[in-house]
Amino acid sequence: MARRIMHIDLDAFFVSVEQALKPELKGKLVVVGGRPDKRGVVASASYEARKFGIHAGMPLAAASRLCPQAIFIEGSFPKYRDASHRFMEILADFSPFLEPVSLDEAYLDVTGFESIHGSIHQMATKIKQQIKDELGLPASVGIASGKVVAKIAAELSKPDGLLEVASGEERSFLAPLPVDKLPGVGKKTEQILRGLGINTIGELPTMPLDALKSHFGAFGEVLHRYARGIDDRKVEPPVAAKSISRETTFGKDTRDRAFLKATLRYLGERVGAELRQENKQAKCVTLKLRYADFTTITRRHTLSQTSDSDQTIFDTGIMLLKKALSQERQLVRLIGIGVSNLVEGGRQLDMLDASAQRQEQLNKAIDRIRNKYGFSAIQTGRTLLLKDIFPETGEGYKLQTPSLSR
Ligand code: DCP
Ligand code: CA
């Protein structure tokens, strides 16, 4: 039986979340990313604003020149993360075969689900309706026998769209589209293909496979397959993390111990929070350092007892840091800390002494507040030093890489 794969992508995600919270913004020229007089780029633009040529990644100043009357919003990551969680929960109610791709995008394998919903098309309509009813957000859905075609169908249907490509129609559906619609085809690949006289996806398979391979290596073979609408990749639910880590590169190389420790504390707390959120305990702590000359070292320590406490992660990190710095005189360019050899579940409370219990209660209370108000709501002693370095919430949206991956 042909597979039925859905690709669901929220429209103008950050903007739509702002509009759901403030309905007076609906239908307006809205840009999320920051004030136009600030540095920085557009994260998301409403479809109305896109008509003026505004798009994600464009400097805010340029966006404001194109459309001075647009409403510019700073945005706040915890709201988007919350909406993303609830979006994924709705999808998970429809099928257990769910693969989140980024905050606002996921694949769902719904093969064989026709009978429950009448048809896959009707199922998609229900999914869209539920996202609208519960979150107030518009979504677009593509349905096809594989991921590539489903994703492209969703994109073409935007905004608030629904497009199903019947089994057997994949190749003719793709044929008239420009080659850069295929995943992995960026500006460079597109240019080479154009040089070879290939502009549409339909023209791609007319090239001999060997010729494609000679230009693009293994990717040439993938392109040849995708262009014919063939994509057997499975929808893969996320596997539990094998390790959790956080790292940061400094704006300026440093040997300042207090600063290095404060950074380590901040990163260690992020690792600890995620560890507890996943209800895991770690057996190993790893420190990573990159020096000014780009030499990178990792130092690992095995704990005598598994732990999920910030203090243990931090203390171990500091011990490894002291040792490493005593062996190397160079300035430090990057610091990171991670945990590995993870095991399920919390410890038995009776195994803990009183102070460890207090520590555990404190960690849990901190996690609760952070979950509610965002990561920077609480900063313990040493990380206060970092306020100047991470003036934002400390969350990833400033990094412009919306992703659930670690
Ligand atoms: N994002 C970002 N910076 C970028 C691209 C995206 O911060 N350069 C954030 C804001 C987007 C969200 O990720 O709202 C989702 O990215 P999409 O590419 O899916 O874009 P949108 O959802 O905004 O619009 P579309 O309707 O085209 O999916
Ligand atoms: Ca989107």
Side-chain angles (χ1 to χ4, degrees):
M1 181 169 57
R3 296 189 306 160
R4 288 286 85 187
I5 308 297
M6 267 187 208
H7 182 261
I8 308 107
D9 188 314
L10 299 175
D11 303 319
F13 177 45
F14 288 5
V15 167
S16 299
V17 172
E18 299 296 338
Q19 288 172 328
L21 293 168
K22 270 197 194 162
E24 64 269 26
L25 292 174
K26 283 189 184 156
K28 301 256 169 71
L29 303 159
V30 181
V31 173
V32 172
R35 306 263 162 220
D37 54 334
K38 294 267 167 61
R39 283 172 49 185
V41 296
V42 173
S44 179
S46 67
Y47 278 75
E48 290 80 2
R50 290 182 201 192
K51 291 197 186 120
F52 289 76
I54 299 179
H55 58 82
M58 165 183 279
L60 290 164
S64 149
R65 275 196 298 276
L66 285 174
C67 183
Q69 69 273 37
I71 302 164
F72 288 83
I73 300 175
E74 189 94 41
S76 79
F77 189 76
K79 282 192 268 187
Y80 312 139
R81 187 186 44 200
D82 183 47
S84 174
H85 279 157
R86 293 169 63 198
F87 165 57
M88 296 299 171
E89 271 168 17
I90 291 173
L91 299 184
D93 278 346
F94 280 88
S95 164
F97 309 109
L98 167 70
E99 178 181 335
V101 182
S102 71
L103 282 179
D104 75 329
E105 188 188 339
Y107 290 105
L108 207 56
D109 189 333
V110 293
T111 310
F113 282 58
E114 297 77 352
S115 52
I116 310 174
H117 301 279
S119 69
I120 297 299
H121 197 277
Q122 277 176 307
M123 180 179 181
T125 307
K126 283 186 206 165
I127 292 177
K128 275 165 61 82
Q129 194 58 46
Q130 197 166 333
I131 296 169
K132 201 160 281 172
D133 292 345
E134 291 182 19
L135 304 178
L137 299 176
S140 295
V141 180
I143 309 166
S145 59
K147 284 178 167 179
V148 161
V149 178
K151 184 176 165 76
I152 295 173
E155 192 187 324
L156 287 189
S157 80
K158 274 175 173 294
D160 202 8
L162 168 49
L163 182 56
E164 178 166 11
V165 179
S167 184
E169 307 273 312
E170 298 84 359
R171 188 165 175 172
S172 56
F173 165 76
L174 294 176
L177 304 174
V179 279
D180 67 349
K181 289 275 177 237
L182 284 179
V185 177
K187 286 254 169 329
K188 239 169 100 185
T189 309
E190 188 194 349
Q191 248 175 20
I192 300 173
L193 286 170
R194 283 198 194 286
L196 296 165
I198 291 172
N199 298 301
T200 65
I201 299 179
E203 286 160 351
L204 241 170
T206 62
M207 249 190 105
L209 181 56
D210 282 345
L212 279 174
K213 279 192 348 202
S214 75
H215 283 284
F216 306 109
F219 183 55
E221 206 164 328
V222 175
L223 275 179
H224 198 257
R225 252 199 328 270
Y226 286 178
R228 288 174 293 146
I230 302 169
D231 176 12
D232 299 328
R233 289 174 305 154
K234 288 199 173 65
V235 171
E236 306 203 45
V239 285
K242 290 198 178 66
S243 66
I244 298 170
S245 65
R246 290 283 185 282
E247 62 182 45
T248 187
T249 303
F250 300 123
K252 200 165 161 266
D253 300 349
T254 181
R255 283 286 288 193
D256 181 335
R257 293 220 176 195
F259 177 66
L260 288 171
K261 278 186 185 176
T263 309
L264 204 57
R265 173 105 216 171
Y266 172 81
L267 297 172
E269 285 176 7
R270 308 262 335 240
V271 168
E274 188 169 333
L275 194 56
R276 292 187 294 279
Q277 187 146 13
E278 305 232 335
N279 201 27
K280 296 255 168 62
Q281 298 269 328
K283 186 81 178 146
C284 289
V285 176
T286 303
L287 171 81
K288 176 173 168 182
L289 291 176
R290 181 166 298 143
Y291 292 109
D293 73 349
F294 278 83
T295 322
T296 307
I297 61 147
T298 54
R299 294 286 178 264
R300 198 166 116 133
H301 178 78
T302 303
L303 302 170
S304 55
Q305 204 182 353
T306 60
S307 170
D308 64 0
S309 104
D310 290 350
Q311 197 60 42
T312 307
I313 296 170
F314 175 63
D315 289 345
T316 312
I318 289 298
M319 185 264 291
L320 294 169
L321 178 68
K322 275 189 186 151
K323 220 190 271 180
L325 290 182
S326 72
Q327 291 162 354
E328 177 60 62
R329 299 195 159 274
Q330 282 197 68
L331 296 177
V332 176
R333 182 182 161 76
L334 168 153
I335 191 164
I337 187 157
V339 291
S340 56
N341 286 27
L342 307 186
V343 293
E344 283 296 332
R347 279 165 301 180
Q348 296 299 313
L349 274 182
D350 59 7
M351 280 168 61
L352 302 175
D353 62 26
S355 91
Q357 269 194 40
R358 259 203 312 281
Q359 189 64 45
E360 181 151 86
Q361 275 161 3
L362 179 65
N363 285 339
K364 287 218 169 100
I366 291 175
D367 290 346
R368 268 202 301 280
I369 295 172
R370 279 183 175 151
N371 279 336
K372 206 158 165 195
Y373 301 108
F375 198 86
S376 65
I378 292 186
Q379 298 195 316
T380 54
R382 279 175 201 280
T383 49
L384 282 175
L385 231 172
L386 292 170
K387 273 242 163 94
D388 296 337
I389 311 163
F390 299 102
E392 290 303 323
T393 55
E395 293 294 355
Y397 119 81
K398 285 279 156 185
L399 302 174
Q400 306 298 340
T401 43
S403 166
L404 287 181
S405 63
R406 303 188 162 79

